[in-house]
Amino acid sequence: MSFWTSIDMGLDYKSIRQDFPILQTMMNGKPLVFLDSAASSQKPQRVIDAFEDYYRCRNANIHRGAYRLSYEATDLYDGTRKKMAAFLGAESPDEIIFTRNTTESINLVAYSWGLSNLKPGDEVLVSELEHHSNLVPWMIAAKKTGAVLKHLPLTEDHKYDYSKIDSVLSPKTRMVALAHMSNAVGTIHDIELLAKKAHAVGALFSVDGAQGACHLPVDVRKIDCDFYSLSAHKMLGPTGVGVLYGKRKLLEGMDPFLGGGDMILTVQKDSYLPAELPMKFEAGTPNIAGVVAFAIALEYLRQAGLSNIHQHEQEIVRYAVEEMKRVQGVTLYGTSDFASRGGVVSFNVDGVHPHDVGSILDEEGIAVRAGHHCCEPFMRKLDISGTVRASFYLYNGPEDVDALIRGIKRVKEIFKK
Ligand code: PMP
C-alpha cells in the first residue's frame, strides 16, 4: 500500500462507493469486489431513484401527447439530449441521437452512411484490436458494397502503430473506424491524431467510444471526429440507452436507419418525408425512462470530473500492475506506458484457463470477466483463447486490488495441488 498512500487522491472513492447500493452487498458470503465495469458499470442510488421516479410519477409517451404529463416526459427526455451535447462538447443537441447502445450507434453509421457512400474498392480502416461491435458492422457494409477492410498494425505493446498509419491510408480510404480505448487491454488511443490523418486523405473518422466517454474527458469538436458512439450502461446509466454523436452536416445527408413512427415529417400512401434531426434517426418509442435516468448519471460523472476519474483509474492500474508483477506465473497484457492506459488489467495465470480463474475469484466475491472480451481477432493474434480482465472505475480502490491479488494467490494454490 505504500505506493498508493503516497498519492494525493483527486477522487474520494470511499465516499463515492457509498452511493452505490450494490457495492454494499455480499457475494458468495464475501463483500462484493466489483471489477467488471468495462462490461457494465454499477449505478448510484440517485440514478436508480430517477428511473423509479419516472415510472411512478412521470410515465407517458413523448412527443405526441396532448397533455401535461407527456409534455413533461418530453422535456425530461430532450433535457438529457442537451446534457449529453454539453458533456461531449457537441455544437447542438440535434447532433445527439439516442440508440440502444454503442453497437446500434456504430451499425447506424455503417448502414446509413456506409451503404450509400461506400463503393467497390473503397477502404475502411479498422484494427485487429477492435471490439466485434466495431468490426462486424463494417464487415457487413463492406460485403454489401464491395468495399474492403484494411487493418492498422499494432505495436508489440498493443497500441495502434502510428508510424505505419500513412502506409495503410490512401485516397481510397473512406472511413477510419477505431476505438477511443481498448476494452481488452486498456490502451488509450490518440484519436485527435487519427482524426487528422483520416481527414488528410478525405476519409471520415468514426470513434467507438464505448470505453471512452465513461472514463476520459471527451470534446468531440476538439477531437474533430465525425461520429462518436457510446453506451449509457458503461457510464453509471441504465442499460438500453446508447448515443451516436454525428456532425450535423453528415447526419443531415444520411438516410434514416430505421423507419416508423416519430422519424417522419409526413407519410403519403407510397412515400414519406423524414423528420429533421435528431428525430430522423429515432424511430418508434425509445427507452424513455432510461434516457431520463441517464441525465442523472451524466450529472454524477460531471461532478466527479472525468479528468479525476481518469487519473484515479490510472493510479489503480499502476498499483495493480506493480502488485501483479510480484506474483510469479502471472502474464500481463497491455502497455507499460501508463500515460496511454485506462482502467483495465488483462492477465492470465500460467497453466490455468481464464474461466477457472474467474470461477475461483467469484468464490471470493470478486467479479471479473474471462474470455475473448468480444475481441476474437486480437486474441487470435496473441495466440491465446482469452484473458482474465479486471476493470476499474471511480468506485474502486487499492483494497480491491489487494483482494484480487489474494484471489490470484488462491488460484495458484488450488492449481498447484
Ligand atoms: N466497443 C467497445 C470497445 C466495448 O467495450 C463495448 C462493450 N464491451 C462495445 C463496443 C459494445 O458496447 P454495447 O454492448 O453497449 O453495445
Side-chain angles (χ1 to χ4, degrees):
M1 292 283 276
S2 56
F3 167 79
W4 189 265
T5 45
S6 68
I7 290 167
D8 178 19
M9 296 284 300
L11 203 73
D12 184 0
Y13 73 92
K14 283 192 179 160
S15 76
I16 284 176
R17 200 188 278 244
Q18 299 307 313
D19 293 337
F20 291 76
I22 210 166
L23 300 179
Q24 322 307 322
T25 59
M26 306 289 279
M27 196 54 58
N28 295 324
K30 311 270 169 62
L32 173 64
V33 176
F34 189 74
L35 302 180
D36 195 22
S37 296
S40 206
S41 74
Q42 295 302 347
K43 325 298 173 199
Q45 184 65 51
R46 64 187 82 161
V47 169
I48 300 166
D49 288 346
F51 198 80
E52 197 190 297
D53 171 77
Y54 176 79
Y55 279 123
R56 200 188 288 280
C57 311
R58 298 167 205 282
N59 180 47
N61 211 332
I62 52 170
H63 294 146
R64 290 173 294 248
Y67 54 96
R68 177 146 168 218
L69 206 57
S70 173
Y71 300 145
E72 284 178 1
T74 304
D75 283 350
L76 285 170
Y77 182 85
D78 287 329
T80 307
R81 198 190 303 281
K82 287 191 194 124
K83 281 209 167 70
M84 191 75 239
F87 192 92
L88 292 178
E91 209 168 285
S92 152
D94 291 349
E95 296 176 316
I96 302 297
I97 312 296
F98 288 119
T99 61
R100 282 186 305 142
N101 46 40
T102 302
T103 304
E104 187 175 297
S105 299
I106 297 173
N107 273 276
L108 195 164
V109 179
Y111 277 80
S112 288
W113 178 86
L115 298 192
S116 329
N117 288 282
L118 293 171
K119 301 182 304 300
D122 282 349
E123 292 174 0
V124 176
L125 185 67
V126 292
S127 90
E128 280 173 279
L129 187 50
E130 299 316 296
H131 190 283
H132 298 162
S133 294
N134 199 33
L135 276 180
V136 181
W138 295 111
M139 290 174 181
I140 294 170
K143 193 168 170 205
K144 284 182 185 290
T145 59
V148 287
L149 296 194
K150 297 266 279 192
H151 294 85
L152 175 58
L154 306 176
T155 62
E156 285 294 308
D157 65 343
H158 319 315
K159 292 179 177 175
Y160 293 151
D161 190 345
Y162 302 105
S163 72
K164 307 246 170 69
I165 188 151
D166 291 329
S167 67
V168 285
L169 286 171
S170 81
K172 285 197 234 158
T173 317
R174 300 295 317 284
M175 172 60 79
V176 173
L178 293 166
H180 197 168
M181 176 176 135
S182 155
N183 64 305
V185 281
T187 320
I188 297 168
H189 306 298
D190 187 346
I191 55 173
E192 276 186 50
L193 174 71
L194 292 167
K196 278 198 192 81
K197 291 285 183 184
H199 293 155
V201 294
L204 298 183
F205 181 37
S206 165
V207 184
D208 170 355
Q211 300 294 340
C214 35
H215 301 289
L216 301 161
V218 174
D219 181 336
V220 286
R221 271 186 285 175
K222 183 157 174 277
I223 298 162
D224 196 22
C225 55
D226 298 292
F227 300 103
Y228 193 102
S229 301
L230 60 87
S231 295
H233 70 91
K234 293 184 197 281
M235 44 201 304
L236 313 184
T239 51
V241 177
V243 167
L244 173 67
Y245 156 80
K247 283 183 182 162
R248 179 192 280 277
K249 257 176 86 172
L250 290 166
L251 291 174
E252 280 175 346
M254 282 157 51
D255 285 336
F257 176 42
L258 301 170
D262 252 21
M263 52 69 70
I264 48 89
L265 190 62
T266 62
V267 181
Q268 308 292 332
K269 192 172 157 215
D270 299 312
S271 63
Y272 77 97
L273 280 178
E276 299 284 312
L277 292 177
M279 301 313 300
K280 176 168 119 178
F281 291 106
E282 292 184 14
T285 302
N287 182 349
I288 306 168
V291 169
V292 168
F294 185 32
I296 309 301
L298 290 176
E299 183 54 26
Y300 194 101
L301 289 175
R302 195 192 64 76
Q303 279 175 21
L306 267 298
S307 297
N308 290 335
I309 293 171
H310 174 47
Q311 194 195 337
H312 177 73
E313 291 169 358
Q314 275 186 323
E315 287 163 1
I316 298 182
V317 162
R318 191 188 280 266
Y319 176 61
V321 168
E322 297 300 326
E323 292 297 303
M324 287 169 88
K325 273 188 183 159
R326 293 207 256 165
V327 185
Q328 273 196 352
V330 171
T331 303
L332 285 158
Y333 305 91
T335 180
S336 44
D337 165 15
F338 289 101
S340 310
R341 185 157 173 174
V344 171
V345 178
S346 235
F347 64 97
N348 269 316
V349 179
D350 296 352
V352 188
H353 194 280
H355 287 152
D356 292 331
V357 178
S359 300
I360 294 167
L361 292 176
D362 184 38
E363 285 170 13
E364 300 297 310
I366 303 167
V368 293
R369 188 148 291 247
H372 55 56
H373 317 300
C374 296
C375 293
E376 271 192 55
F378 180 60
M379 296 299 151
R380 219 162 274 134
K381 189 177 172 64
L382 298 185
D383 200 19
I384 52 176
S385 66
T387 70
V388 185
R389 184 186 70 187
S391 55
F392 304 97
Y393 209 5
L394 72 173
Y395 36 65
N396 292 115
E399 53 274 56
D400 296 328
V401 174
D402 296 339
L404 177 65
I405 300 289
R406 284 195 300 275
I408 294 171
K409 287 183 177 161
R410 181 154 181 264
V411 171
K412 287 190 57 188
E413 253 173 57
I414 290 173
F415 274 83
K416 210 165 57 185
K417 287 172 194 161

